Amino acid sequence: HPAACVVTFTAWFPYPLVPGSAVRISTDACQWHPFAIAWTEEQTWYGRCTATIIVAKAGDWTAKFIANAAGSNNSSNRNNRLWIRRTSSLGFMYTIRNFDRVVVMATGSGIGPVCPHLISGTCDIFLVWVTPNPIDSYPRETCTKIMAHPKHLTQIWNTDTDGYPHLGKLAVRAATQFQAEAVFVVSNQAGTEQVQTACRIERVTCFGATFDS
C-alpha cells in the first residue's frame, strides 16, 4: 500500500500473545524497530500463531521497508526476510484493563496498538482516530477490523477533508461526552504531549508513551 502496509507472519512464542504484546523486527538482524501486534489469528499447537503488525511511513527505515514490501515479489530477495524478536514487557496500552470506560486517541498508524483492544473488547472504548482517509491510506483488512467497532463509539477524523485538529481539545471533549475514566493516546511525541497537557488542565487521567530514547 502507498502509505502503509500490513505485515503478517507466523512465529513461535513461548506464551500466548495478549493485547498489548509487541515485537521487534529487523531486515538485517542489526537495526531493530519495535511494533505493537495489531491482531493475531487462531493459536495453534505449541504456541504457533499468525500475528499482524501495521507499518506506516515515519522515517527512512519504514519508508524503505514499505517500498520493498510493495515493489518486490522475489522471495529470494534478502529484503523480504524478517528477523523477529519478542519484547519482554507490555506497552502502556495494557493498563487499559484497569478501567471500564476509556477514550483512546490514535493518530495514523498509532491505531496498531489499539486494534487488539478493539477486537477483544478489553473494556468500553470510545475510539478517536485522526488519520488521512483510511480507505486510501490503509489496507482493506485493517479498515474492516476497525470499522467493526460500534459506530456510536467511533469517531474518525479525516485530515484530508477536515484538516488537522487540536488533539488535546478533541480528546477532552470525547472524554467528557463519554464520561470516560481515562484517556489513552497513541501518537507521536508532539501529539501525545498536546493531549496530556489538555487532560492535565482539565484533570482528566491520561496515559501515553514515554519518549525517553
Side-chain angles (χ1 to χ4, degrees):
H1 197 279
C5 70
V6 163
V7 180
T8 302
F9 58 87
T10 300
W12 183 87
F13 291 87
Y15 55 85
L17 294 172
V18 297
S21 298
V23 292
R24 293 180 182 273
I25 65 174
S26 175
T27 55
D28 57 9
C30 293
Q31 186 178 11
W32 296 87
H33 295 262
F35 292 91
I37 293 173
W39 62 82
T40 60
E41 300 300 330
E42 182 178 348
Q43 297 281 338
T44 58
W45 63 291
Y46 286 113
R48 273 191 185 273
C49 70
T50 299
T52 300
I53 62 175
I54 299 174
V55 181
K57 293 179 183 178
D60 293 341
W61 189 90
T62 50
K64 183 178 179 181
F65 183 91
I66 292 172
N68 286 338
S72 176
N73 293 318
N74 182 4
S75 60
S76 64
N77 189 322
R78 184 177 178 83
N79 288 332
N80 283 346
R81 295 188 62 184
L82 283 182
W83 282 260
I84 303 167
R85 259 184 201 166
R86 70 180 180 90
T87 58
S88 58
S89 60
L90 298 171
F92 76 92
M93 280 295 297
Y94 189 73
T95 59
I96 200 174
R97 294 166 173 264
N98 295 329
F99 301 94
D100 294 322
R101 294 173 66 86
V102 301
V103 166
V104 176
M105 163 79 71
T107 60
S109 60
I111 195 66
V114 179
C115 279
H117 301 284
L118 296 178
I119 295 169
S120 65
T122 306
C123 65
D124 291 338
I125 297 174
F126 187 93
L127 171 66
V128 182
W129 188 20
V130 178
T131 179
N133 189 340
I135 303 300
D136 295 336
S137 303
Y138 294 90
R140 180 177 298 177
E141 182 183 16
T142 303
C143 295
T144 299
K145 288 185 178 293
I146 296 167
M147 300 303 181
H149 193 60
K151 290 186 177 180
H152 70 284
L153 297 178
T154 305
Q155 179 182 3
I156 298 179
W157 185 289
N158 186 341
T159 57
D160 286 339
T161 57
D162 301 326
Y164 204 83
H166 189 288
L167 298 181
K169 293 180 180 178
L170 196 60
V172 169
R173 182 163 61 246
T176 301
Q177 293 174 349
F178 189 57
Q179 297 182 334
E181 298 171 88
V183 170
F184 286 75
V185 54
V186 188
S187 184
N188 57 24
Q189 184 170 359
T192 298
E193 291 177 350
Q194 188 179 82
V195 172
Q196 289 176 329
T197 298
C199 287
R200 189 180 303 116
I201 292 173
E202 298 298 330
R203 298 183 180 276
V204 176
T205 302
C206 182
F207 296 87
T210 301
F211 297 89
D212 56 358
S213 62

